Amino acid sequence: MILVLVKALSDICAGTSGFLLDFSSRTSPGTDNGEALPESIPSAPGTLPHFIEEPDDAYIIKSNPIALRCKARPAMQIFFKCNGEWVHQNEHVSEESLDESSGLKVREVFINVTRQQVEDFHGPEDYWCQCVAWSHLGTSKSRKASVRIAYLRKNFEQDPQGREVPIEGMIVLHCRPPEGVPAAEVEWLKNEEPIDSEQDENIDTRADHNLIIRQARLSDSGNYTCMAANIVAKRRSLSATVVVYVNGGWSSWTEWSACNVRCGRGWQKRSRTCTNPAPLNGGAFCEGMSVQKITCTSLCPVDGSWEVWSEWSVCSPECEHLRIRECTAPPPRNGGKFCEGLSQESENCTDGLCILDKKPLHEIKPQSIENASDIALYSGLGAAVVAVAVLVIGVTLYRRSQSDYGVDVIDSSALTGGFQTFNFKTVRQGNSLLLNSAMQPDLTVSRTYSGPICLQDPLDKELMTESSLFNPLSDIKVKVQSSFMVSLGVSERAEYHGKNHSRTFPHGNNHSFSTMHPRNKTPYIQNLSSLPTRTELRTTGVFGHLGGRLVMPNTGVSLLIPHGAIPEENSWEIYMSINQGEPSLQSDGSEVLLSPEVTCGPPDMIVTTPFALTIPHCADVSSEHWNIHLKKRTQQGKWEEVMSVEDESTSCYCLLDPFACHVLLDSFGTYALTGEPITDCAVKQLKVAVFGCMSCNSLDYNLRVYCVDNTPCAFQEVVSDERHQGGQLLEEPKLLHFKGNTFSLQISVLDIPPFLWRIKPFTACQEVPFSRVWCSNRQPLHCAFSLERYTPTTTQLSCKICIRQLKGHEQILQVQTSILESERETITFFTQEDSTFPAQTGPKAFKIPYSIRQRICATFDTPNAKGKDWQMLAQKNSINRNLSYFATQSSPSAVILNLWEARHQHDGDLDSLACALEEIGRTHTKLSNISESQLDEADFNYSRQNGL
């Protein structure tokens, strides 16, 4: 045996040598100096050539030829083959050496390829060359090396455009380099210096050659140039000037100055400067006034003045009489001077005839008389002080009582507008100054309102005018504080005191502002989180032995009751609802709610055949990234896992489609789908949409961008709220694939038309944390943007809404709309595929006629030796998992057809079932009675009954 193998190998080697010699003569016809292939090599027989070096891909630059080389060991000869044809031997340059380590012959070959050769080649692929090496045992081929002509066009497909962005805004500069071979590498220059995005985390240059600056800084202003280069040339784009501007901000107010008059009515002022920060690079100057003034009233000092002297007293035993006077005409007030002079005086009452100790009485001043004079003086002073104190208290009480019931208003002719602080003291029914005269607040308990009032009607604006505020009406008491504010163009707070009555004032309540202004067509738009929301959607239907279908319109939720599931002569009112309030299923750990909570009942109803419940979900289905569970709520309110979608179970069956899960169940209750991400590549499908409406300010227009779970019921809740608020869908919703990689979501407004619209500073880009988006099923997630028109004549709005996950998927919503309701194009929210017939009973609810179902079940429920039974029916309908569940059913085929009915309720025909039956029925005689025409007729009848 061994001798036979050795002889065969010798014959093969001899044949190979002959082939090589023949090839040498064929490739070099008519040449006498061709290199003859050696007859032997100093190596072990049976060694194939091994390539030490293979030809590499190459590019021809301009007209310079390129050299391709290859090296093999051991090799008697090496030739190049280009585009399937052998290269002439004379074009080869061959070198031969000896490998010192192995003693084998090493051969190296070069050829040159010119530009003309490549240009003259016309084939379905690029010009290529390959090495073929020979040894005694046989041949070896190298890899194919392609040869292309390198070039780089001159003009960029897209040059970067200059931008003006606010500080901390996002900058995106687009660049599409010129076409070239090889593809050009892009580098960004700022002021002719290269930008290194690895050293600055705020800059990203990896996204399609674009330059993204996440948060603009002042240092980011400059001239940006896109550089494209390959092995042929370099190209420069047009420079784009980026200006990062800073809008001005007010500093803090200074202290109030002293009153400008010593007494009487004057004013005080305070000031502020636009330096916090100061506007830079064309940023907007601060809005409002830099100076505020308030009135001040200083009480003037009143000097005291004496009253007239009293009558003289009777003459005393000492022959003197007295008289007094008081400093009360007027008394000194507000720091005025006390009266000058004596408050009492005395004199001799006998004209000097009264003598004591031989002296006239008036010349004698005994000690007792001096003491009496001091006592009288001090008594008068004390009485005067008491009188002044009583007078001051009386005046104060009098002024306070008057201020409680009257009007204490200083002349307002000197006031130049602004916002005054005022208090409602009493109110009369039907008062036109109230925001809503039909509401009667109880003012026994005060309530304060602070903030701007949205006035949408010219009649309502009269509330804030000076004439209405300071008009002394009989049915409203208005008190202006003694130092009330005159804000020159700067709004201050206003306080309304009244009881916290429902719908009386707009601040902090849960009702729409539209109830305050019924004459205005555009109600004030408020945050959706404060709106009254429905707790559930609900639908019902009465079903009997014939079964039927219950559909929740525009939600993707449906319930299929099979024929025979309800006993004969029985009927049940079956209901189905969707929880729209706070989910009762609390996620554990990384678990996420992927579907709505769907309730079907009554819970005590018993069915003889499993019914099919269809629940939409928002997961991008993949067993590699998600572990999806079906859960049911118990009577105690706790949630228990029914099964994992990928597990085998005989209690229920889950068929997971890309957008919905079809569940076969035998008991009613509340069900939901949850998912546990296995990897960071787990994806939730979000539906992004933009709505718009006018605000209470006629120049403002509000854009609200929603990111909700991609389930019809979640979007229906948004649509319902927007209809309530007067919102209009501006663009067809799109799908965003949101990865569970912990990166946040960015929503930004781009390409706002300059000189027509402007967006409020620092609001052009908003970022939503990852956790808020990943668990967004608890509240519709939305971001609001407020745009302002420069003039009322602007009626068209065009911009882009960019929704992107950092290091993830991105979607662009193109807004092109008219803000006038009469000119706006209406975009429908939903198709009407399932809203016409929420409950269908009897045969019209099923696509497959009952007679055909019976024949199919009779055919496939019977075991077949060739395997053409219900398992084949399940396989042909893409049901390949958990077949043990169907084996436990009395009629597996009927359950499979019920699942098919639930899965294809919105399909237009029976093609998929017809194809499956046709494929199985080619060798099955019992299926010959079910013809294609019968299925077509059934499909036509179902479509006609359901308006499809």
Side-chain angles (χ1 to χ4, degrees), residues 447-451 505-509 513:
R447 175 179 182 266
T448 300
Y449 165 67
S450 301
F505 295 103
H507 180 68
N509 61 18
F513 286 9

Side-chain angles (χ1 to χ4, degrees), residues 447-596:
R447 175 179 182 266
T448 300
Y449 165 67
S450 301
I453 303 176
C454 182
L455 298 174
Q456 298 183 353
D457 195 287
L459 295 178
D460 297 327
K461 295 182 180 179
E462 295 178 1
L463 173 63
M464 306 311 297
T465 61
E466 187 176 292
S467 62
S468 62
L469 283 178
F470 297 100
N471 187 19
L473 301 176
S474 60
D475 57 353
I476 183 169
K477 303 295 184 179
V478 180
K479 178 183 177 183
V480 181
Q481 306 294 341
S482 59
S483 295
F484 56 88
M485 183 72 66
V486 181
S487 173
L488 302 181
V490 180
S491 298
E492 294 290 341
R493 291 184 178 180
E495 293 184 337
Y496 297 79
H497 295 280
K499 187 176 180 180
N500 188 357
H501 193 279
S502 173
R503 293 180 176 262
T504 301
F505 295 103
H507 180 68
N509 61 18
N510 290 331
H511 302 285
S512 172
F513 286 9
S514 59
T515 60
M516 295 167 51
H517 305 281
R519 292 183 298 273
N520 198 313
K521 295 182 179 179
T522 306
Y524 183 88
I525 303 303
Q526 58 184 1
N527 194 317
L528 290 178
S529 62
S530 66
L531 291 173
T533 58
R534 297 177 300 276
T535 57
E536 66 175 22
L537 290 173
R538 186 181 178 93
T539 185
T540 60
V542 178
F543 298 90
H545 181 69
L546 298 179
R549 191 190 305 269
L550 187 61
V551 177
M552 188 78 69
N554 295 324
T555 63
V557 179
S558 64
L559 182 68
L560 183 74
I561 306 297
H563 182 281
I566 301 176
E568 292 187 16
E569 299 181 358
N570 286 349
S571 62
W572 287 84
E573 182 180 6
I574 299 178
Y575 65 85
M576 187 168 57
S577 64
I578 300 176
N579 178 23
Q580 284 194 310
E582 186 72 14
S584 60
L585 197 159
Q586 302 297 326
S587 301
D588 297 331
S590 60
E591 196 175 44
V592 181
L593 184 62
L594 298 177
S595 74

Side-chain angles (χ1 to χ4, degrees), residues 289-545:
M289 302 300 293
S290 61
V291 177
Q292 274 187 344
K293 289 185 178 181
I294 60 172
T295 59
C296 57
T297 303
S298 300
L299 298 177
C300 296
V302 178
D303 295 335
S305 180
W306 292 112
E307 290 186 353
V308 296
W309 287 102
S310 66
E311 297 293 333
W312 289 102
S313 66
V314 297
C315 194
S316 67
E318 290 83 12
C319 305
E320 280 189 337
H321 59 180
L322 302 173
R323 68 176 182 178
I324 62 174
R325 60 180 178 177
E326 294 182 352
C327 189
T328 57
R333 295 193 305 268
N334 306 325
K337 296 179 181 179
F338 197 79
C339 303
E340 295 182 357
L342 298 175
S343 61
Q344 68 177 5
E345 64 180 2
S346 62
E347 65 179 17
N348 190 284
C349 56
T350 61
D351 294 331
L353 298 179
C354 185
I355 298 175
L356 184 62
D357 294 336
K358 300 180 181 180
K359 291 183 179 179
L361 187 59
H362 64 275
E363 294 180 2
I364 302 174
K365 295 183 178 180
Q367 184 69 30
S368 60
I369 295 177
E370 293 180 0
N371 293 338
S373 299
D374 293 340
I375 292 173
L377 175 62
Y378 293 136
S379 298
L381 290 175
V385 171
V386 172
V388 170
V390 171
L391 184 60
V392 170
I393 294 174
V395 171
T396 303
L397 293 177
Y398 173 77
R399 289 172 56 87
R400 183 173 298 174
S401 65
Q402 291 298 317
S403 64
D404 287 340
Y405 298 98
V407 180
D408 179 17
V409 181
I410 301 174
D411 181 19
S412 61
S413 60
L415 306 180
T416 58
F419 224 91
Q420 287 77 28
T421 303
F422 57 96
N423 299 330
F424 289 111
K425 288 299 181 181
T426 61
V427 135
R428 181 174 299 174
Q429 288 188 354
N431 196 324
S432 61
L433 289 179
L434 288 177
L435 294 178
N436 192 337
S437 60
M439 308 173 199
Q440 303 304 325
D442 181 5
L443 300 184
T444 57
V445 181
S446 66
R447 175 179 182 266
T448 300
Y449 165 67
S450 301
I453 303 176
C454 182
L455 298 174
Q456 298 183 353
D457 195 287
L459 295 178
D460 297 327
K461 295 182 180 179
E462 295 178 1
L463 173 63
M464 306 311 297
T465 61
E466 187 176 292
S467 62
S468 62
L469 283 178
F470 297 100
N471 187 19
L473 301 176
S474 60
D475 57 353
I476 183 169
K477 303 295 184 179
V478 180
K479 178 183 177 183
V480 181
Q481 306 294 341
S482 59
S483 295
F484 56 88
M485 183 72 66
V486 181
S487 173
L488 302 181
V490 180
S491 298
E492 294 290 341
R493 291 184 178 180
E495 293 184 337
Y496 297 79
H497 295 280
K499 187 176 180 180
N500 188 357
H501 193 279
S502 173
R503 293 180 176 262
T504 301
F505 295 103
H507 180 68
N509 61 18
N510 290 331
H511 302 285
S512 172
F513 286 9
S514 59
T515 60
M516 295 167 51
H517 305 281
R519 292 183 298 273
N520 198 313
K521 295 182 179 179
T522 306
Y524 183 88
I525 303 303
Q526 58 184 1
N527 194 317
L528 290 178
S529 62
S530 66
L531 291 173
T533 58
R534 297 177 300 276
T535 57
E536 66 175 22
L537 290 173
R538 186 181 178 93
T539 185
T540 60
V542 178
F543 298 90
H545 181 69

Side-chain angles (χ1 to χ4, degrees), residues 218-238:
L218 288 176
S219 59
D220 293 324
S221 297
N223 295 320
Y224 288 83
T225 307
C226 182
M227 288 285 296
N230 64 3
I231 60 176
V232 179
K234 288 185 177 182
R235 302 282 186 257
R236 289 172 58 95
S237 70
L238 298 177

Side-chain angles (χ1 to χ4, degrees), residues 649-819:
S649 174
T650 57
S651 61
C652 65
Y653 186 88
C654 289
L655 180 60
L656 197 64
D657 279 346
F659 299 102
C661 182
H662 311 282
V663 189
L664 295 176
L665 300 165
D666 54 10
S667 63
F668 290 95
T670 302
Y671 296 90
L673 289 176
T674 64
E676 184 179 358
I678 301 175
T679 67
D680 289 346
C681 295
V683 171
K684 277 185 66 176
Q685 294 180 342
L686 302 180
K687 181 170 289 187
V688 294
V690 56
F691 290 80
C693 70
M694 295 290 292
S695 68
C696 61
N697 183 350
S698 61
L699 292 179
D700 289 351
Y701 190 77
N702 293 327
L703 294 176
R704 288 183 297 279
V705 182
Y706 290 87
C707 298
V708 298
D709 291 349
N710 183 34
T711 58
C713 50
F715 188 60
Q716 186 187 36
E717 183 177 356
V718 171
V719 170
S720 177
D721 291 333
E722 281 294 330
R723 281 174 176 164
H724 180 74
Q725 295 299 307
Q728 177 73 26
L729 183 65
L730 303 182
E731 171 68 346
E732 289 288 344
K734 295 184 179 181
L735 283 185
L736 180 73
H737 299 284
F738 191 81
K739 290 186 177 181
N741 54 10
T742 71
F743 286 99
S744 58
L745 185 73
Q746 278 189 352
I747 304 176
S748 55
V749 182
L750 306 175
D751 299 342
I752 299 175
F755 309 113
L756 296 177
W757 293 85
R758 66 178 177 182
I759 191 168
K760 293 185 178 180
F762 310 108
T763 62
C765 180
Q766 302 184 32
E767 187 165 333
V768 185
F770 168 81
S771 59
R772 179 70 179 88
V773 183
W774 193 247
C775 302
S776 62
N777 47 25
R778 303 193 179 276
Q779 279 286 352
L781 171 64
H782 82 282
C783 292
F785 299 89
S786 181
L787 280 69
E788 182 181 3
R789 293 180 289 169
Y790 284 96
T791 62
T793 58
T794 301
T795 61
Q796 298 293 324
L797 173 61
S798 173
C799 64
K800 293 180 181 178
I801 309 294
C802 177
I803 305 104
R804 63 184 291 264
Q805 184 185 18
L806 298 181
K807 299 185 179 180
H809 190 213
E810 175 183 271
Q811 280 289 11
I812 299 293
L813 298 177
Q814 181 69 51
V815 176
Q816 185 76 40
T817 185
S818 171
I819 64 174

